[in-house]
């Protein structure tokens, strides 16, 4: 199912490109019309107000712009309506086939052979889906009119100011960029809406009563979607998707409480894995049997009887994330521990800094990273913060290991990288702490979790490429390797 | 903790921007030794009230 969702994303990308190209062609046609009129209404290479009003040229220009954009709007709505209908049909068939293969779940398999849940797809599905109170045709219609008005206004302003035609083009290009973003957003939003509507219709057809809300987790995930992740809803009570522009959330079928995990973020797989050791370890002052898994020479530790309502990070998930980290980063981390109790220092911090109910999420130092009781937050939120924490803290350990004495981040090389990148520290945290040490740990974190944050830091990219190898640097940042001075 | 000589606290929002305490969604505490070396880091996620 996950790979199908990835395929859907790629299809969405293709749709977005298709309509963006159509917009570019319209833009070129409008530009051509402007050039034709300009040839007749110019004086000394600039728009002439006197000439533009001769022979109804201004009126003709305006109506040509409206005509071109009107055509675009009409074609867009018609073609997109057809595309969305096909999308609905394909997605529906895929989901029916997928569910038919899931045996023993007590769903109404026989209903899945009776064809599409909705026959008149265009009029009953595509025309009825609403986002923020508008149907697709209404939205495209209104937006098309707004755009035509704005294009007309920009061109006429440029003419009235007697501008050079290159300025008129610049105005139109700026507007075209905004339009492009809007087209992209429109296509992706309605595509998402149709996919989700198709899924809901098939679930109902199969007599599935509930759905699970699935958010996509990465650096772009918004807090609203993250909070809803894994919630279970009765069909009909689910939040309408897309929740916002560019929303990537989806509904998964929720079959029964015996066959699927419950809604409250409980880990799916908690069994002992072959190769896990069981040893007594000191867990917050208490000797407890612990499951110990050796991953890349780091011990992942959790008490065997861990209270899952207090620790939302899953052991297997932690292992998977850790396995994806480069060897260079993991080799200096001795252990990672999942606790179901509070950090003993929480009371101290609570008093020291006046933060009511202070609850540490994680601590790190001396080669150990610890995750404490986090029952106060959702499992989704806990999962979303593991990666940044691991990379940042493993970055600190690497920082110490790279040089025989002290830290690499305080070495001449990193200092020079910061100096010659010439925009100060790479994060607000390191800037506020005025710390090269935090700058290095955050740079490592960004490289693996949010690399675009390094795009104006060629010297730091170069230093990181020296440490992790050129292949660890994302393709779009490799051009910066070599930096400006290093 | 025995080696800790100084602590620093930073309040951040969801975008990791430094913000005032009332607007923070995350807290980072740095523990430093007498020479200003980092010895431990504590990370807290704040939950919304109400």
């Amino acid at each position: 199912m996950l790979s199908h969702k990835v395929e859907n994303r790629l299809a969405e990308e293709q749709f977005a490109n298709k309509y963006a190209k159509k917009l570019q062609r319209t833009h070129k046609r409008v530009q051509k019309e402007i050039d034709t009129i300009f040839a007749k209404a110019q004086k000394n290479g600039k728009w002439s107000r006197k000439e533009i009003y001769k022979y109804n040229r201004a009126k003709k220009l305006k109506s040509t712009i409206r005509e071109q954009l009107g055509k675009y709007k009409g074609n867009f709505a018609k073609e997109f309506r057809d595309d969305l209908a096909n999308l609905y049909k394909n997605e529906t068939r895929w989901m029916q086939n997928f569910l038919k293969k899931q045996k023993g779940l007590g769903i109404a398999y026989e209903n899945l052979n009776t064809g599409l849940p909705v026959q008149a797809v265009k009029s009953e599905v595509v025309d009825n889906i609403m986002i923020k109170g508008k149907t697709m045709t209404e939205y495209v219609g209104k937006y098309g009119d707004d755009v035509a008005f704005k294009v007309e206004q920009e061109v006429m302003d440029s003419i009235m100011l007697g501008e050079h035609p290159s300025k008129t083009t610049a105005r139109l290009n700026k507007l075209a960029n905004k339009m492009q973003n809007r087209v992209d957003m429109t296509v992706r939003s309605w595509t998402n809406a149709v996919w989700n509507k198709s899924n809901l219709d098939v679930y109902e057809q199969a007599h599935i009563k509930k759905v699970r809300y699935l958010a996509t987790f990465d650096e772009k995930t918004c807090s609203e979607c993250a909070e809803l992740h894994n919630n279970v809803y009765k069909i009909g009570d689910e939040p309408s998707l897309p929740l916002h522009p560019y929303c990537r959330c989806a509904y998964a079928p929720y079959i029964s409480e015996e066959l699927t995990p419950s809604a409250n973020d409980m880990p799916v797989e908690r069994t002992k894995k072959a190769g896990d050791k069981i040893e007594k370890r000191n867990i917050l002052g208490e000797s407890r049997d612990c499951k110990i898994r050796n991953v890349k020479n780091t011990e992942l530790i959790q008490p065997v009887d861990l209270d899952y309502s207090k620790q939302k990070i899953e052991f297997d998930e932690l292992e998977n994330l850790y396995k994806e980290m480069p060897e260079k980063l993991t080799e200096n981390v001795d252990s990672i521990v999942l606790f179901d109790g509070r950090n003993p220092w929480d009371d101290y911090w609570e008093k020291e800094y006046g933060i009511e109910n202070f609850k540490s999420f994680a601590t790190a130092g001396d080669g150990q990273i610890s995750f404490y009781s986090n029952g106060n937050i959702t499992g989704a939120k806990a999962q979303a913060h593991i990666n940044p924490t691991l990379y940042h803290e493993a970055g600190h350990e690497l920082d110490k290991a790279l040089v025989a004495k002290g830290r690499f981040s305080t070495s001449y090389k990193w200092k020079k990288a910061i100096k010659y990148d010439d925009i100060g520290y790479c994060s607000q945290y390191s800037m506020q702490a005025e710390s090269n040490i935090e700058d290095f740990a955050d740079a490592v974190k960004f490289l693996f979790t949010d690399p675009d944050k390094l795009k104006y830091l060629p010297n730091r990219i170069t230093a990181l490429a020296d440490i992790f190898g050129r292949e660890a640097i994302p393709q779009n940042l490799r051009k910066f390797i070599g930096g400006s001075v290093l | 903790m025995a080696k800790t000589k100084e602590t620093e606290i930073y309040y951040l929002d969801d975008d990791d921007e430094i913000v005032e305490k009332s607007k923070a969604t995350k807290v980072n505490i740095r523990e430093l030794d007498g020479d200003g070396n980092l010895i431990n880091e504590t990370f807290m996620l704040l939950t919304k009230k109400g």
Side-chain angles (χ1 to χ4, degrees):
Chain A
M1 191 156 174
L2 187 65
S3 62
H4 175 67
K5 294 286 170 202
V6 173
E7 282 166 16
N8 279 357
R9 291 276 159 261
L10 294 172
E12 182 185 288
E13 189 81 37
Q14 282 173 354
F15 272 128
N17 288 340
K18 173 181 161 182
Y19 289 99
K21 276 184 187 157
K22 282 180 185 292
L23 178 66
Q24 283 163 7
R25 286 199 286 273
T26 303
H27 175 62
K28 275 184 190 162
R29 280 198 288 272
V30 169
Q31 184 65 54
K32 204 173 160 190
E33 296 291 348
I34 292 171
D35 292 344
T36 310
I37 300 277
F38 177 75
K40 296 170 188 168
Q42 58 89 26
K43 199 171 180 188
N44 302 327
K46 288 184 178 176
W47 286 104
S48 156
R49 266 188 279 182
K50 196 176 159 193
E51 293 298 323
I52 192 75
Y53 285 110
K54 277 185 187 171
Y55 313 113
N56 272 341
R57 283 176 187 142
K59 205 174 162 189
K60 277 181 200 160
L61 183 59
K62 280 185 195 176
S63 72
T64 308
I65 291 171
R66 277 184 213 163
E67 191 189 336
Q68 288 296 341
L69 288 161
K71 268 188 202 165
Y72 174 73
K73 179 180 83 176
N75 289 340
F76 184 119
K78 186 177 172 300
E79 212 169 311
F80 194 39
R81 187 171 177 251
D82 292 343
D83 281 340
L84 290 177
N86 286 330
L87 215 73
Y88 177 89
K89 289 175 195 167
N90 293 337
E91 178 67 11
T92 299
R93 287 189 193 110
W94 184 90
M95 186 53 81
Q96 286 174 332
N97 285 331
F98 174 77
L99 287 180
K100 275 191 247 174
K101 288 177 200 159
Q102 316 304 312
K103 297 296 177 198
L105 296 182
I107 58 178
Y109 298 101
E110 64 285 358
N111 289 359
L112 298 173
N113 292 322
T114 57
L116 296 174
V118 178
Q119 290 306 316
V121 176
K122 282 187 201 171
S123 58
E124 286 184 35
V125 177
V126 179
D127 292 349
N128 286 335
I129 289 178
M130 291 182 126
I131 299 179
K132 304 278 178 208
K134 283 195 176 62
T135 65
M136 186 273 285
T137 322
E138 284 168 348
Y139 184 84
V140 171
K142 187 188 175 310
Y143 178 60
D145 291 342
D146 288 351
V147 165
F149 176 74
K150 277 182 192 156
V151 170
E152 193 183 302
Q153 204 176 30
E154 287 293 333
V155 172
M156 293 316 289
D157 280 356
S158 184
I159 292 171
M160 289 304 115
L161 291 169
E163 287 180 346
H164 189 272
S166 62
K167 281 200 173 171
T168 317
T169 305
R171 283 171 180 259
L172 283 183
N173 287 345
K174 204 174 163 189
L175 202 55
N177 284 339
K178 281 187 192 164
M179 286 157 70
Q180 204 92 300
N181 292 340
R182 196 72 174 265
V183 166
D184 190 70
M185 188 186 81
T186 306
V187 172
R188 289 175 195 273
S189 299
W190 257 275
T191 305
N192 177 294
V194 164
W195 272 322
N196 284 310
K197 166 73 177 143
S198 154
N199 291 167
L200 283 178
D201 287 349
V202 176
Y203 301 157
E204 279 197 289
Q205 191 182 30
H207 291 186
I208 292 168
K209 307 278 184 230
K210 293 179 181 176
V211 286
R212 184 191 290 280
Y213 190 101
L214 292 183
T216 304
F217 278 97
D218 56 22
E219 70 279 7
K220 292 177 192 159
T221 312
C222 74
S223 56
E224 204 179 351
C225 294
E227 289 290 330
L228 294 176
H229 179 66
N230 256 345
N231 282 356
V232 174
Y233 299 94
K234 260 176 59 189
I235 291 183
D237 293 343
E238 75 285 346
S240 183
L241 290 176
L243 213 57
H244 53 78
Y246 294 112
C247 180
R248 296 165 295 164
C249 296
Y251 311 113
Y254 182 86
I255 311 288
S256 78
E257 290 183 8
E258 293 76 35
L259 295 164
T260 57
S262 69
N264 53 4
D265 297 310
M266 300 297 268
V268 178
E269 201 276 307
R270 295 172 189 153
T271 52
K272 182 177 167 288
K273 221 176 173 178
D276 284 354
K277 282 189 296 183
I278 304 289
E279 276 177 17
K280 287 255 186 238
R281 290 290 169 99
N282 185 333
I283 298 294
L284 305 174
E286 197 187 333
S287 176
R288 285 165 73 179
D289 279 335
C290 287
K291 184 162 72 175
I292 295 155
R293 194 173 293 173
N294 212 307
V295 182
K296 299 166 105 174
N297 288 328
T298 300
E299 284 189 334
L300 306 190
I301 304 170
Q302 75 158 57
V304 169
D305 58 348
L306 184 86
D307 182 343
Y308 293 103
S309 68
K310 292 181 179 164
Q311 177 51 265
K312 304 279 183 67
I313 296 172
E314 294 174 22
F315 204 50
D316 293 338
E317 171 76 1
L318 178 65
E319 181 191 3
N320 291 337
L321 291 173
Y322 201 66
K323 275 181 177 165
E324 282 174 20
M325 290 172 72
E327 203 76 37
K328 196 95 196 170
L329 263 180
T330 57
E331 63 192 8
N332 305 297
V333 178
D334 300 328
S335 59
I336 303 175
V337 192
L338 295 182
F339 293 110
D340 49 11
R342 289 179 78 201
N343 175 3
W345 287 96
D346 281 355
D347 289 339
Y348 174 82
W349 296 129
E350 186 173 329
K351 279 186 200 149
E352 177 76 9
Y353 290 111
I355 299 173
E356 210 180 324
N357 295 322
F358 191 102
K359 279 187 118 179
S360 302
F361 175 72
T363 58
D366 271 344
Q368 179 173 310
I369 302 171
S370 308
F371 291 98
Y372 296 93
S373 164
N374 48 45
N376 55 324
I377 59 172
T378 63
K381 195 170 179 181
Q383 300 287 342
H385 282 90
I386 310 175
N387 242 353
T389 308
L390 286 178
Y391 280 100
H392 178 94
E393 301 308 342
H396 280 317
E397 295 305 325
L398 173 65
D399 188 16
K400 286 186 275 184
L402 283 172
V403 289
K405 201 177 168 195
R407 288 182 183 252
F408 173 75
S409 58
T410 53
S411 69
Y412 175 68
K413 192 169 181 180
W414 193 256
K415 278 183 188 166
K416 200 172 162 190
I418 295 176
K419 184 179 173 191
Y420 286 100
D421 279 334
D422 205 25
I423 55 168
Y425 291 106
C426 73
S427 66
Q428 285 220 356
Y429 178 43
S430 51
M431 186 175 71
Q432 193 76 8
E434 293 178 22
S435 167
N436 284 26
I437 294 173
E438 298 304 340
D439 186 79
F440 178 77
D442 270 348
V444 169
K445 177 179 84 176
F446 292 151
L447 176 63
F448 296 102
T449 63
D450 195 0
D452 275 354
K453 289 201 169 148
L454 296 174
K455 67 183 172 189
Y456 300 115
L457 308 171
N459 293 289
R460 268 168 277 196
I461 291 171
T462 305
L464 292 171
D466 283 349
I467 297 167
F468 294 104
R470 185 185 167 84
E471 62 286 352
I473 308 295
Q475 200 74 37
N476 65 327
L477 297 181
R478 284 189 194 163
K479 60 182 176 229
F480 297 118
I481 298 175
S484 56
V485 289
L486 290 174
Chain B
M1 198 69 167
K3 294 184 284 179
T4 301
K5 288 280 186 229
E6 194 189 327
T7 62
E8 298 171 344
I9 189 162
Y10 300 92
Y11 299 100
L12 301 111
D13 64 12
D14 281 336
D15 298 322
D16 285 339
E17 305 276 322
I18 297 285
V19 291
E20 58 190 78
K21 187 176 173 180
S22 61
K23 290 179 184 162
T25 57
K26 298 176 199 171
V27 173
N28 280 15
I29 295 174
R30 303 180 77 228
E31 293 171 48
L32 311 169
D33 68 12
D35 299 322
N37 297 314
L38 178 73
I39 51 175
N40 200 62
E41 219 175 3
T42 299
F43 177 45
M44 179 200 185
L45 294 173
L46 292 166
T47 44
K48 285 175 201 162
K49 285 180 185 165

